[in-house]
Amino acid sequence: MRMASSEIPSTSELPQFPESLWERTTEFPRFPRLQGETNADVVVVGGGITGLTTAYLLMKEGLQVALVEMGSLLHGTTGHTTAKITAQHGLIYDQLIGHFGEEKARLYYEANEEAVRFMQNFAKEHGIDCGMVEEDAYLFAESDDELKDLKKEWTAYQKLGIPGEWQESLPLPLLVKGAIKLPGQARFHPLQYLHFMVQELQKGGAAIYEHTTIAEKVDKANGRLNLHTEDGASSITCNYAVSASHFPFYDGGAMYFSRLHAERSYIVAIEPETSFPGGMYINCGNPKRSLRAAEWNGKQLVLVGGEGHKTGKALCTIRNYETLELYGASLLGAKNIPFRWSAQDLITLDQVPYIGQATNDDPHILVATGFAKWGMSTGTLAALMFRDRIMKRDNRYEEVFTPQRFKADPGLKNFIVQNAGVAKDLVAGKIGLVHRKVDELKNDEGAIVKHLGKRAGAYRDEKGQLYLLDATCTHMGCEVDWNEGERSWDCPCHGSRFNYKGEVIEGPATQPLTPLTQHQHEG
Ligand code: FES
């Protein structure tokens, strides 16, 4: 151990609301809200890597594209990723062979590998200054139990012909029992990469709208789709709609909320005392630890990620940052810790993303979601698949990722467990005892409080202004909980998140939390 926790550089200078390295170092133009009625060949809902790449590829095919984002472009999961581009997705290939057989497991690898190559080539061909660096990816075991799992994964690599290499040690000062190295992967600055696509979309005349929430109900007439804004004031007609909005904006009876769960994880950027040897690392046990290098102001940083948990289920999110800071500082020393941020990921029942037709009965509404923590490669893959589908070209990966696979899937057991968990959260949230009162809140503190005999969400900002909200999630009525690390209200049932004012940050909820007035204080 290099460093005691008391010696770790203070992060008290960090902004009150965490900001990622990517967001701090990239500026995007701002775009208007959708107003009135308009039309396009394809409407892409969601301004992250999947949405922008889809819009870009289709525009290059000569289609008229409109992209609509609920908030600001690239401020969702893409702005908060660790930005590893790899087909090494933790312990997955052994599991995929067990669930789907070798052929589909191999296709999963090849699909991701193709996306990795696409991104590397794209950055090179267009001379995009996005710090794209080729790296070896390592999956490592630290205990005997983890080693058993890693060996099964290694057998899966060999069966599938994945060009990995078994390693007894790592380039890092970390004692391991074994590791699988996958050469030829990459890391990059995701927003600088996507900045290029935004510029190209502007130059090519694609329409981009921000702060525009599309309602779930889609009207269909004369072979065209009509999408409406949530307030009903504006609409857009198209031949195809693509849901690239992290949580699907369109459900169509497919019950995506019951087939996905949301997890939050944390990242700290440390400036190491010892030089980082390169490589991208992730352990195969728990708690998760992920490492990769990055550059900032001419200095080398190391991004340390991990401490994942189900959304709305953390006791103290600030402690998650502190744990990662201690881990990084112990491993490499830390001169400075200039950034910390967190991300939300959606995970499917069988760990394989849902990419394809959103429901059985409409081939014109497509969805991509559930990338777990690997959305750089799978988001790009989804865009490539959507391009092929809309341009009526065959794509050999469709069957592996189809959201319709669910019915015959062994993940049904997960479905029951997951939804039993949601039912439990729904009840537990309603009957949990509340001890705090509004008057007890200090500045910059939030909590569930008792207000007029009921539960309410309260946050007092740094200047003492109180924000009092109905703590019932507007999606399906679970109770939200306070996330002190992000100053947000998070729902444990399907992962909706709201800022301290009650505005939606993450769906599936589309309506804000209801504000309450402080008529009286409960004694
Ligand atoms: Fe579904 Fe809150 S996200 S009830």
Side-chain angles (χ1 to χ4, degrees):
M1 291 289 236
R2 286 173 188 276
M3 194 173 272
S5 61
S6 58
E7 296 170 287
I8 294 176
S10 165
T11 51
S12 58
E13 298 304 309
L14 291 170
Q16 188 192 9
F17 294 87
E19 184 184 30
S20 74
L21 165 63
W22 322 127
E23 288 175 316
R24 176 91 65 87
T25 51
T26 322
E27 275 205 26
F28 283 95
R30 298 280 58 112
F31 296 93
R33 287 171 202 274
L34 172 63
Q35 282 181 334
E37 291 174 10
T38 185
N39 59 74
D41 294 323
V42 181
V43 174
V44 178
V45 180
I49 189 166
T50 311
L52 283 165
T53 311
T54 303
Y56 173 85
L57 292 174
L58 291 173
M59 184 188 77
K60 289 290 172 192
E61 296 285 347
L63 297 186
Q64 192 194 348
V65 180
L67 185 139
V68 186
E69 162 59 41
M70 180 177 85
S72 307
L73 291 186
L74 296 161
H75 279 281
T77 301
T78 304
H80 296 89
T81 169
T82 52
K84 291 172 167 177
I85 308 173
T86 179
Q88 187 181 65
H89 296 174
L91 292 171
I92 192 160
Y93 291 106
D94 177 55
Q95 185 186 317
L96 290 180
I97 291 174
H99 276 197
F100 301 110
E102 278 185 33
E103 194 187 327
K104 284 191 178 158
R106 189 174 293 108
L107 281 169
Y108 179 96
Y109 167 73
E110 287 171 4
N112 278 285
E113 180 62 13
E114 203 170 302
V116 172
R117 294 297 150 243
F118 172 87
M119 296 174 79
Q120 288 174 315
N121 292 337
F122 188 82
K124 200 164 156 193
E125 267 168 33
H126 296 281
I128 305 172
D129 185 12
C130 63
M132 182 76 76
V133 175
E134 187 169 316
E135 292 272 26
D136 297 330
Y138 294 87
L139 175 65
F140 62 88
E142 293 175 282
S143 70
D144 290 334
D145 280 349
E146 289 169 25
L147 184 62
K148 276 188 214 148
D149 291 336
L150 191 67
K151 283 192 170 159
K152 280 196 221 154
E153 187 72 0
W154 176 234
T155 305
Y157 272 52
Q158 290 168 306
K159 276 187 197 158
L160 300 177
I162 300 175
E165 296 167 25
W166 183 262
Q167 308 275 299
E168 295 297 335
S169 62
L170 292 179
L172 282 178
L174 195 61
L175 212 53
V176 297
K177 300 272 180 179
I180 301 173
K181 172 168 120 177
L182 186 61
Q185 310 302 291
R187 63 176 170 90
F188 73 149
H189 186 310
L191 300 200
Q192 283 168 1
Y193 172 89
L194 291 163
H195 191 266
F196 172 83
M197 289 198 190
V198 172
Q199 283 178 321
E200 290 295 299
L201 285 165
Q202 284 184 293
K203 276 190 227 159
I208 301 180
Y209 304 101
E210 290 184 314
H211 303 289
T212 301
T213 304
I214 295 294
E216 196 206 324
K217 186 173 176 312
V218 176
D219 292 329
K220 299 166 191 178
N222 307 322
R224 297 271 284 171
L225 305 171
N226 195 7
L227 276 53
H228 304 271
T229 52
E230 187 72 24
D231 60 7
S234 307
S235 65
I236 184 163
T237 55
C238 55
N239 296 328
Y240 281 93
V242 173
S243 172
S245 50
H246 201 213
F247 202 96
F249 84 93
Y250 176 78
D251 190 86
M255 302 219 301
Y256 281 99
F257 60 84
S258 67
R259 299 160 57 186
L260 291 161
H261 78 269
E263 285 189 12
R264 296 200 65 69
S265 55
Y266 300 80
I267 299 167
V268 297
I270 65 170
E271 191 186 331
E273 280 177 348
T274 54
S275 170
F276 188 72
M280 306 190 295
Y281 303 84
I282 192 159
N283 60 342
C284 56
N286 282 306
K288 277 280 164 276
R289 294 289 178 259
S290 152
L291 296 157
R292 61 151 277 189
E295 289 75 34
W296 177 60
N297 282 350
K299 293 176 190 160
Q300 186 190 50
L301 299 180
V302 177
L303 308 187
V304 184
E307 291 296 288
H309 60 81
K310 226 180 140 217
T311 299
K313 294 275 191 175
L315 291 176
C316 174
T317 50
I318 286 175
R319 214 166 285 151
N320 296 323
Y321 289 121
E322 290 168 355
T323 304
L324 292 176
E325 286 164 9
L326 183 57
Y327 176 82
S330 303
L331 193 63
L332 300 159
K335 286 190 244 178
N336 186 18
I337 303 178
F339 295 95
R340 62 182 182 186
W341 70 90
S342 65
Q344 178 141 316
D345 294 291
L346 293 173
I347 297 155
T348 67
L349 296 174
D350 56 18
Q351 315 281 319
V352 175
Y354 301 132
I355 304 172
Q357 205 174 301
T359 60
N360 270 328
D361 56 2
D362 195 327
H364 297 102
I365 306 180
L366 308 179
V367 68
T369 187
F371 300 149
K373 324 248 180 222
W374 308 106
M376 296 300 100
S377 62
T378 45
T380 302
L381 167 68
L384 293 165
M385 289 173 65
F386 290 153
R387 176 192 61 185
D388 286 352
R389 187 170 182 120
I390 291 170
M391 300 312 295
K392 306 214 181 319
R393 294 175 195 144
D394 288 339
N395 186 298
R396 65 197 184 105
Y397 306 127
E398 273 195 6
E399 208 187 319
V400 176
F401 294 95
T402 176
Q404 270 69 50
R405 71 182 180 271
F406 173 67
K407 285 202 175 74
D409 198 274
L412 188 63
K413 196 168 101 230
N414 289 351
F415 173 82
I416 293 162
V417 171
Q418 198 160 294
N419 287 287
V422 168
K424 203 165 122 222
D425 288 335
L426 180 66
V427 175
K430 305 282 178 205
I431 60 174
L433 289 178
V434 180
H435 302 290
R436 300 298 302 273
K437 295 174 196 151
V438 167
D439 290 344
E440 293 170 5
L441 289 184
K442 297 195 274 295
N443 286 5
D444 193 25
E445 188 184 9
I448 293 291
V449 295
K450 204 167 168 192
H451 174 69
L452 301 176
K454 290 192 187 141
R455 291 166 55 89
Y459 171 65
R460 198 181 290 286
D461 74 10
E462 283 204 310
K463 296 190 181 120
Q465 162 95 33
L466 180 70
Y467 295 86
L468 198 58
L469 302 161
D470 184 336
T472 304
C473 176
T474 54
H475 176 230
M476 289 176 76
C478 289
E479 296 294 300
V480 297
D481 234 324
W482 181 242
N483 174 344
E484 64 180 326
E486 319 299 316
R487 276 82 169 170
S488 64
W489 296 104
D490 297 358
C491 181
C493 285
H494 312 106
S496 289
R497 298 181 60 234
F498 306 84
N499 68 15
Y500 64 90
K501 296 177 184 167
E503 295 159 349
V504 179
I505 312 172
E506 303 249 7
T510 56
Q511 297 295 323
L513 296 176
T514 310
L516 300 174
T517 332
Q518 192 186 10
H519 293 302
Q520 69 180 74
H521 299 167
E522 291 275 312

